[in-house]
Amino acid sequence: MKLVTCLYEGKERVGALTERGVAFLPFPDMNTLIETADPARLTAGEEVPLASVTLLAPIPRPRQDVICLGMNYQDHEQEAAKYDSGAFGKEQPVAVYFSKRVGRAGDPGGEIPRHAGLVERLDYEAELAVIIGKPAKNVRAEDAGDYVFGYTVLNDVSARVLQTKHKQWYYGKSLDGFTPMGPCILTADETAFPPALAITASVNGEERQRSNTSLLIHGIPEIIAELSAGMTLLPGTIIATGTPAGVGMGLNPPKFLECGDVVECTIEGIGTLQSTVR
């Protein structure tokens, strides 16, 4: 099932994509659905054409910061170290975790603010985001799939100068509009675990990134097991699993985003998240 949050007749609604459009579900928001519902037993109500709704980020207002992994594809780890070894060099083969503040997630078809005067070297990162479905504490890697509600596409927009200047990535990753997400949540029962899905990103129609989520250095079972060993992952927790090579800073010469650029991040089976820099 593909679950969406959308705007219909001026009201925010939760629904499921169908062949004919969107079938609404009886939940006030996606966080409530994730906390209380079994995706396999959802009963849809009124159905409307897709053209009559405006898709929003599937979780417009995450209840906690997004947990992110840095340099979790081998080829991206290498290109990042070439760009700035001091900022991106890894001394040990362990997962790099950081968080990304999200007041309001960016919508499919929405805008990425340029933040002129503050941001230099604006960059994109296509990522598979994992959404936790029930409280996860001390989860074994072999049981991790039982705790996944679903998956979505996330663009980890980054201000590279701020990111490297402060030596800690939180600020350069957390500006308003820096977390576009969507277009939907693909429920976990719709794909194998862990998912092996093609992931791509393009800018103005030029493909920049192409990989597969099976190539994560630290896989989803390991991530959930490691994080839950020391913290409780609550329902609705979003984990962005990292990006493959091909981001703007990794190109030769680097290609950063400018006003008017259209970024499309696509993951097989989930869909395409399109954003325009403004």
Side-chain angles (χ1 to χ4, degrees), residues 24 27 39 49 60 72 87 98 159 186-187 208:
F24 295 130
F27 299 91
N72 201 28
F98 62 96
L186 180 72
T187 55
R208 301 278 185 86

Side-chain angles (χ1 to χ4, degrees), residues 95-250:
V96 174
Y97 295 111
F98 62 96
S99 61
K100 187 176 179 81
R101 186 172 182 82
V102 188
R104 174 65 165 80
D107 299 325
E111 298 180 352
I112 298 170
R114 183 65 185 82
H115 292 288
L118 173 64
V119 171
E120 299 177 61
R121 301 184 180 181
L122 183 66
D123 213 345
Y124 54 89
E125 295 188 6
E127 306 201 9
L128 174 72
V130 178
I131 299 162
I132 297 298
K134 60 183 180 181
K137 178 68 173 178
N138 295 323
V139 175
R140 299 184 304 168
E142 56 266 37
D143 298 327
D146 296 337
Y147 293 82
V148 176
F149 179 85
Y151 308 92
T152 193
V153 185
L154 186 146
N155 185 352
D156 179 17
V157 180
S158 306
R160 296 301 186 194
V161 173
L162 290 179
Q163 180 185 5
T164 56
K165 173 184 177 181
H166 288 277
K167 305 300 181 184
Q168 207 284 346
W169 300 353
Y170 188 77
Y171 184 37
K173 298 274 192 174
S174 298
L175 301 185
D176 290 348
F178 272 24
T179 313
M181 191 189 309
C184 66
I185 294 172
L186 180 72
T187 55
D189 59 309
E190 294 286 340
T191 187
F193 183 82
L197 306 172
I199 178 170
T200 64
S202 66
V203 178
N204 301 328
E206 176 193 7
E207 186 176 288
R208 301 278 185 86
Q209 295 182 283
R210 175 170 289 276
S211 190
N212 192 285
T213 61
S214 64
L215 299 177
L216 296 174
I217 297 172
H218 304 282
I220 296 168
E222 175 190 344
I223 293 166
I224 293 175
E226 184 167 59
L227 289 174
S228 71
M231 66 177 79
T232 302
L233 304 178
L234 299 175
T237 296
I238 302 167
I239 304 173
T241 58
T243 198
V247 299
M249 71 174 182

Side-chain angles (χ1 to χ4, degrees), residues 47-67:
E47 189 169 342
V48 299
L50 185 60
S52 68
V53 307
T54 300
L55 292 182
L56 306 177
I59 305 178
R61 290 165 290 277
R63 289 179 174 167
Q64 296 179 310
D65 287 0
V66 174
I67 300 172

